[in-house]
Amino acid sequence: MTRLKEDDIEQISATLSDYDQELLAKTGCRLRELAAYSVGKDINRPDDEFLQTAVIPLTCGQGVIGGFAESVASIINHLGFGAWVTDLPDAGGVAEAVKNGADILFMADDQRFMAMNLHTRAVSENGAATGKGYAAGLERMNNGLKGNEVLVLGVGPVGTSAAFFLARYGAKVSIFDPDLRASRTLVKEFAKFGYSLNIVGDLNLALRHHRLIVDACPAQNVIRQDHLREDTLIAAPGIPLGLEAAGLEQISSRLLHDPLQIGVAVMMFEVL
Ligand code: 2YJ
């Protein structure tokens, strides 16, 4: 799993309005609408309006990422909910959050990024939420996915979740991961839900064939400019972006890619 860097997130708080405008142009939804859509909940939530969320910095592992907790809180604020960062990190921060009336907690270590609602006990994990949100984003960008072929790069938590929700939208999903055993395991898991997955052998051929791509892997320069068509749509939760820099300008209006926004928004709506 990629650990976010300060550079990846430093612009988030200051650019959320622009982010919403771009997302609206690409998907027809603002962040709040996309998150609500992806979890199948009503966008208007009068009962949840007063819920307070505490974001708790965690110092374990490689430590606090400067601006991480603040960025998460700013995204939740932008969605229209109260959110603050605790003064204390770790266990002291959890106690501080509870004492100060937090209803929802967000916290991330190097492996997991979790949200939990202290009243309902609903729990959300960032990887699964991110995959769900990007699947919804691609579905909105394409005005539906029924019968469409989608290629998912990477079958970690984000790619697995994206593949699942793409299949639920009616897409024909192909997966590619250098770990063939992981792909085979996923095929068996999906079969239990009645979904079939195609495992791609030749990545280059698959990238040429597919118009709809989910890039959920941490590898760079996997998608080349010559793989892009004029109607290609890419949903790319993977950090860093797998598309080579030369292709960025050509596809910018048809590319969904952010370090945190969609994942955090979906986590929030999952625990409401
Ligand atoms: O509280 C802090 O500042 C740190 N403990 C945050 C650690 C952030 N965790 C990560 O970057 C993980 N790899 C999960 C990121 C998920 C983004 N999709």
Side-chain angles (χ1 to χ4, degrees):
M1 179 183 278
T2 311
R3 181 177 154 91
L4 292 169
K5 294 193 283 299
E6 287 183 23
D7 286 356
D8 296 327
I9 56 177
E10 67 182 359
Q11 297 298 327
I12 289 178
S13 309
T15 54
L16 282 166
S17 295
D18 292 346
Y19 177 92
D20 249 355
Q21 288 311 312
E22 263 188 45
L23 192 64
L24 184 64
K26 290 173 186 173
T27 66
C29 303
R30 293 182 180 82
L31 190 56
R32 182 176 165 115
E33 291 156 348
L34 183 63
Y37 177 77
S38 73
V39 303
K41 288 182 179 166
D42 197 334
I43 185 161
N44 298 309
R45 314 205 48 89
D47 292 347
D48 295 335
E49 211 175 296
F50 301 105
L51 290 178
Q52 290 296 317
T53 297
V55 186
I56 301 145
L58 298 185
T59 63
C60 55
Q62 295 181 58
V64 167
I65 300 172
F68 176 82
E70 291 74 12
S71 299
V72 172
S74 74
I75 295 165
I76 299 166
N77 280 148
H78 178 75
L79 295 171
F81 304 102
W84 81 93
V85 177
T86 56
D87 290 332
L88 290 172
D90 306 329
V94 175
E96 181 189 327
V98 172
K99 263 198 259 172
N100 286 295
D103 305 291
I104 294 169
L105 307 182
F106 273 65
M107 60 188 105
D109 60 26
D110 293 342
Q111 306 301 326
R112 289 192 164 233
F113 177 16
M114 309 296 302
M116 55 214 86
N117 185 321
L118 300 178
H119 303 289
T120 65
R121 296 179 187 271
V123 171
S124 173
E125 191 272 324
N126 177 262
T130 303
K132 185 187 274 189
Y134 273 81
L138 188 68
E139 195 266 353
R140 289 293 77 215
M141 280 206 285
N142 197 53
N143 281 313
L145 287 173
K146 208 167 177 49
N148 286 254
E149 293 182 308
V150 185
L151 173 63
V152 177
L153 307 178
V155 294
V158 178
T160 295
S161 167
F164 183 83
F165 289 100
L166 293 166
R168 216 165 81 166
Y169 285 124
K172 295 176 187 160
V173 182
S174 292
I175 52 172
F176 177 83
D177 195 291
D179 182 351
L180 193 55
R181 275 178 48 182
S183 297
R184 288 192 179 132
T185 304
L186 202 61
V187 170
K188 285 190 197 138
E189 286 299 311
F190 273 47
K192 293 179 194 161
F193 294 92
Y195 296 142
S196 64
L197 281 177
N198 174 49
I199 298 179
V200 160
D202 185 331
L203 176 60
N204 195 37
L205 208 65
L207 283 165
R208 285 191 195 291
H209 174 77
H210 284 83
R211 183 179 69 79
L212 304 174
I213 299 166
V214 174
D215 167 23
C217 70
Q220 279 177 293
N221 300 324
V222 175
I223 309 168
R224 296 194 314 261
Q225 191 172 22
D226 60 286
H227 291 133
L228 305 178
R229 313 181 202 172
E230 55 188 35
D231 55 354
T232 296
L233 299 176
I234 302 180
I239 302 275
L241 182 61
L243 171 67
E244 68 174 356
L248 253 183
E249 195 177 334
Q250 181 181 338
I251 198 152
S252 64
S253 65
R254 291 170 283 122
L255 168 70
L256 214 54
H257 176 63
D258 71 39
L260 217 47
Q261 289 89 328
I262 289 177
V264 167
V266 176
M267 289 169 81
M268 187 68 194
F269 270 81
E270 277 193 326
V271 299
L272 287 179

